[in-house]
Amino acid sequence: MGWLSLAIETRCDLAESLADALMDAGALSASIEDADAGTEAETPQFGEPGSVTTPGWERSRVIALLASDANAAAILGEAAAAIGLAEIPAWTTDLVEEQDWVRLTQAQFEPIRVSERLWIVPSWHEAPDPEAIVLVLDPGMAFGTGSHPTTRLCLEWLEREVRPGDSLLDYGCGSGILAIAAARLGATSVSGIDIDPQALIAARDNAEANHVTATFIEAAEPLTTPAGYDIVVANILANPLRALAPALVGHVRPGGHLALSGILSEQADELIACYAPWISLGVADTRDGWVCLAGRRAD
């Protein structure tokens, strides 16, 4: 049966209102993308909070999904009138064939080899190496599937540093992948913190799927190891890592280790200086312009 995809190029300041109006006029979904994507004029819109001063793209493309028998011209005309456009903007349509979207999506996610003995494997795949430590993880709403360089840096660091019996806190746990990896590597008291309720749900489900014991709580809840952890790891971004410095260091027991990721190479020196009053950090590893900083708190 399929669907009809309606594409309209428009200005940045009109894109959001046009997308909303298309939904009101009967579109099944509507999204906004960079009309210059894939060219030299492409404008990145990802980064830390505050780094994007003008959200959206000067040349935006609104993509609306319609029923296959929908009248695209009528829907666009109604939407254009609703937001006060004098003329209907230029538009094109394409047929979107019906497919097995679940199978198509799953095909995009293959097992990821993190190291010699650590693999991340979606639940619909067999483990490529039966002798490896396998983290069963499906892509979902929470950040952390193992494909991003910052997650890989943390996983590699954890494999080197976690010792049997260690306690660990994953601050900003997302999918829970770092906490789960630590538990599979031998940590016995593992906790995760996040401000996103969906992330906590995902982390708990992932821990259950991996048959590990870990506690995932909201930031306002009391920690299970109030005296401090052997390892604290935070894969966030440089801005929140700066703001959280006293709190993160405070969760590390004397003699314990702190690892920070989500930091661009050019931000490393500033973060090292920020944490210097409490702990001496150094670059543990780098990957694709990102760094992992790590250090040991004095006894």
Side-chain angles (χ1 to χ4, degrees):
M1 180 176 174
W3 296 270
L4 199 62
S5 175
L6 171 65
I8 312 106
E9 289 194 16
T10 186
R11 303 195 315 265
C12 173
D13 59 319
L14 295 175
E16 187 172 350
S17 57
L18 180 58
D20 290 342
L22 286 165
M23 292 291 293
D24 292 339
L28 303 174
S29 67
S31 60
I32 303 169
E33 62 184 37
D34 187 356
D36 295 314
T39 72
E40 293 183 356
E42 182 176 359
T43 306
Q45 288 291 308
F46 303 100
E48 295 191 47
S51 66
V52 179
T53 56
T54 308
W57 300 277
E58 186 58 34
R59 284 189 354 106
S60 295
R61 181 181 292 115
V62 178
I63 307 291
L65 191 67
L66 314 177
S68 59
D69 58 351
N71 187 328
I75 289 174
L76 179 56
E78 181 181 337
I83 63 173
L85 293 181
E87 298 181 358
I88 296 177
W91 53 280
T92 59
T93 58
D94 285 304
L95 182 64
V96 180
E97 298 289 348
E98 187 170 7
Q99 301 186 55
D100 185 341
W101 296 106
V102 172
R103 186 178 297 275
L104 187 63
T105 300
Q106 289 181 345
Q108 300 177 39
F109 296 93
E110 296 289 332
I112 299 171
R113 186 172 193 166
V114 177
S115 64
E116 187 66 29
R117 61 180 182 138
L118 194 63
W119 282 81
I120 300 167
V121 181
S123 60
W124 54 84
H125 278 284
E126 292 292 328
D129 181 357
E131 302 300 319
I133 297 174
V134 173
L135 309 178
V136 177
L137 196 74
D138 294 341
M141 294 180 67
F143 175 81
T145 61
S147 58
H148 196 275
T150 62
T151 309
R152 296 283 296 273
L153 287 169
C154 288
L155 288 169
E156 291 165 357
W157 184 87
L158 287 172
E159 185 181 9
R160 296 193 302 267
E161 299 297 333
V162 171
R163 300 291 180 268
D166 278 348
S167 59
L168 177 136
L169 174 64
D170 179 4
Y171 205 102
C173 60
S175 68
I177 184 172
L178 301 182
I180 293 166
R184 294 301 310 277
L185 290 165
T188 53
S189 177
V190 177
S191 301
I193 288 178
D194 210 292
I195 60 173
D196 182 358
Q198 293 299 323
L200 296 173
I201 293 171
R204 290 165 186 150
D205 289 345
N206 288 332
E208 183 177 355
N210 282 273
H211 309 290
V212 302
T213 300
T215 302
F216 297 100
I217 61 174
E218 293 187 11
E221 297 182 48
L223 293 168
T224 56
T225 310
Y229 293 80
D230 297 310
I231 296 174
V232 174
V233 60
N235 180 22
I236 316 177
L237 285 170
N239 280 342
L241 287 175
R242 278 190 289 268
L244 290 167
L248 289 174
V249 174
H251 292 311
V252 183
R253 68 161 181 80
H257 295 267
L258 174 67
L260 308 176
S261 194
I263 304 163
L264 294 168
S265 297
E266 58 267 27
Q267 298 168 329
D269 288 343
E270 184 182 353
L271 264 294
I272 289 171
C274 177
Y275 279 76
W278 304 283
I279 190 169
S280 178
L281 296 176
V283 175
D285 208 348
T286 65
R287 182 185 294 271
D288 299 336
W290 298 90
V291 301
C292 175
L293 300 179
R296 181 176 176 272
R297 185 174 179 183
D299 292 324

